Amino acid sequence: MSRLSFTLNDSNKIPWLAFGTGTALYTKEAKKEVIQAISHGITHLDGAQVYGNEASIGDAIAESGVPRSSLFVTTKLWDVPAGKTVRDTLVESLRKLKVDYVDLFLIHNPQLHPDLKSVWKQLEELKKEGLSKSIGVSNFRIKDLEVILPGAEILPSVNQIEYHPYVFKASKPLIDFLKKHTIVPTSYGGLTPVNRFKGGPLDPVLEKIAKRLGETRGKPVTSGQVLQVWLRQQGVPAITTTSKAERLLEYLDVETIPDLTSEEVKEIEETGSEMKWIDEDP
């Protein structure tokens, strides 16, 4: 069971490991996979309105037998239809999820909302009302955060972004900005170097570190687990997904793996920065 959590700036706790229902499950029935994740001890479920499968997450929660209070449920605001409010969209999400509240409600994409400051004020009201325990953002750049932070009554608790060593260099100004404002970065795509860019410059580095960690603890460690330890060590929650039970066990096992050395962290970040990535001004 996943036991590691981090404390957010509103004093709520967020489990380190999350099961995501986007990517491979985007617009697809996700009940089977979510039930499997919950049954293996993953309590943090990361959904979104645009994923089109909130109802199947709700079915999984209802059928899991796990108390609502033991789960951490995230969903994300997409657009706000004409004649509707942000609250209306969350109430609809809650109906689909079959819950009375979510633990985290995020603005999914800043570019969908011309008046970000107004949208953020509406999220603040939803937190006060108790419909979401914590509120935050996703895919926000520094310039987007600079729109909502002045005058904000409640700071975003998280900013969910693509984050892995191949975007480390491009992301560093944003990560530093988040830390300055006590906003926790959460990572999607954290396994990109091993899942989507096999053969990249990080491969031998990750394999070498995995070998050292495996020898240290007397149990094999994978390159993907090294990447997740890198995230864990920074206090960055990791969102990932799989349909395979053995992969879930691999993710959960990360909590038992020793820390990387400072030299290993440096080598991962410097080697990751060698990869040419499409940089966007954070």
Side-chain angles (χ1 to χ4, degrees):
M1 182 174 180
S2 178
R3 299 185 184 281
L4 178 64
S5 64
F6 301 127
T7 302
L8 301 174
N9 58 18
D10 61 1
S11 299
N12 291 324
K13 291 185 181 297
I14 183 170
W16 170 73
L17 180 64
F19 183 82
T21 59
T23 55
L25 292 173
Y26 181 76
T27 71
K28 295 179 181 177
E29 166 70 40
K31 184 174 80 169
K32 177 183 174 183
E33 289 81 3
V34 174
I35 287 177
Q36 180 173 246
I38 295 173
S39 69
H40 279 78
I42 295 178
T43 58
H44 182 174
L45 309 174
D46 183 83
Q49 293 171 353
V50 74
Y51 296 167
N53 53 21
E54 286 176 310
S56 62
I57 298 172
D59 291 340
I61 291 171
E63 294 181 27
S64 70
V66 174
R68 170 66 184 92
S69 58
S70 297
L71 298 173
F72 187 101
V73 181
T74 297
T75 197
K76 310 179 194 76
L77 171 71
W78 193 239
D79 57 3
V80 181
K84 299 284 187 179
T85 64
V86 173
R87 187 184 189 279
D88 292 333
T89 74
L90 179 55
V91 168
E92 177 64 13
S93 289
L94 295 177
R95 183 188 68 79
K96 292 177 179 177
L97 291 164
K98 299 180 174 62
V99 296
D100 296 325
Y101 66 92
V102 289
D103 296 275
L104 184 60
F105 189 44
L106 308 178
I107 300 174
H108 202 154
N109 184 343
Q111 298 181 59
L112 293 175
H113 306 284
D115 190 354
L116 269 181
K117 190 177 282 287
S118 170
V119 172
W120 182 252
K121 286 297 179 187
Q122 292 180 68
L123 262 73
E124 291 181 333
E125 292 304 313
L126 295 174
K127 177 173 169 63
K128 292 176 188 176
E129 190 179 348
L131 295 182
S132 184
K133 298 294 185 185
S134 298
I135 52 175
V137 298
S138 180
N139 300 305
F140 269 51
R141 301 156 295 184
I142 290 175
K143 63 184 180 183
D144 302 314
L145 290 161
E146 287 175 334
V147 171
I148 67 170
L149 290 181
E153 188 176 346
I154 302 170
L155 290 176
S157 290
V158 310
N159 184 15
Q160 186 181 123
I161 57 174
E162 179 179 6
Y163 186 58
H164 50 77
Y166 285 150
V167 296
F168 171 76
K169 184 177 180 180
S171 302
K172 194 171 188 314
L174 175 58
I175 296 294
D176 290 344
F177 184 90
L178 296 176
K179 288 180 180 178
K180 176 183 175 183
H181 293 278
T182 69
I183 301 168
V184 172
T186 63
S187 164
Y188 66 81
L191 296 176
T192 292
V194 295
N195 288 346
R196 291 177 51 209
F197 288 92
K198 199 70 180 168
L202 267 175
D203 284 15
V205 174
L206 297 175
E207 289 164 8
K208 178 182 68 175
I209 296 171
K211 184 173 185 294
R212 198 274 300 172
L213 289 171
E215 290 171 350
T216 298
R217 73 164 186 164
K219 182 180 176 182
V221 172
T222 68
S223 293
Q225 287 178 315
V226 174
L227 288 169
Q228 290 179 315
V229 172
W230 179 76
L231 291 171
R232 184 198 74 195
Q233 219 164 309
Q234 297 176 68
V236 176
I239 301 156
T240 189
T241 193
T242 183
S243 60
K244 299 176 181 178
E246 61 269 24
R247 195 70 74 196
L248 292 172
L249 293 173
E250 179 182 321
Y251 299 155
L252 289 162
D253 187 43
V254 170
E255 295 182 17
T256 71
I257 297 174
D259 281 351
L260 307 173
T261 66
S262 57
E263 292 79 14
E264 288 169 339
V265 170
K266 182 179 179 182
E267 187 173 14
I268 287 172
E269 293 170 356
E270 288 183 348
T271 304
S273 298
E274 294 173 7
M275 170 72 87
K276 290 184 178 179
W277 206 264
I278 299 174
D279 290 353
E280 186 173 9
D281 176 18

